Amino acid sequence: SAPKSAVSAMPGIEQLPHAKMARRIKTAMRQHPITQAELARQSGESAMQVSRILSGEYMPSAISLHKIARVLKREVSDFMG
């Protein structure tokens, strides 16, 4: 069987702030629409970094979040809370 990701192996992680942020970014990506690879390219972030942010395993820096928000034509505050 396939190994569990670090996120699914940790109970309750879906409630962490960076997991909520990841869900909000993914929703904005569907609405834009844009792929993960294109978000990485346009934001100047590495594909690995974007993957980690979208998986909810990593909290982006303020600078990274600003770049992502700019590409998605959103405010940083749209992903917070």
Side-chain angles (χ1 to χ4, degrees), residues 13-30:
I13 195 166
E14 65 278 354
Q15 298 305 316
L16 293 175
H18 47 278
K20 289 180 181 181
M21 182 179 293
R23 285 194 301 273
R24 290 176 179 165
I25 293 170
K26 287 189 266 190
T27 297
M29 288 173 65
R30 284 191 298 273

Side-chain angles (χ1 to χ4, degrees), residues 21 25 39-40 42-46 49-50 53 58-72 74-77 79-80:
M21 182 179 293
I25 293 170
L39 178 60
Q42 289 186 30
S43 68
E45 297 294 315
S46 72
Q49 188 78 334
V50 170
I53 291 167
Y58 177 78
M59 178 65 86
S61 69
I63 293 169
S64 295
L65 191 56
H66 178 75
K67 291 181 197 176
I68 289 169
R70 180 181 43 80
V71 170
L72 296 173
R74 299 293 175 99
E75 298 295 325
V76 170
S77 61
F79 306 130
M80 308 297 280

Side-chain angles (χ1 to χ4, degrees), residues 4-16 18 56-57:
K4 286 187 175 183
S5 74
V7 173
S8 64
M10 297 170 63
I13 195 166
E14 65 278 354
Q15 298 305 316
L16 293 175
H18 47 278
E57 117 184 32

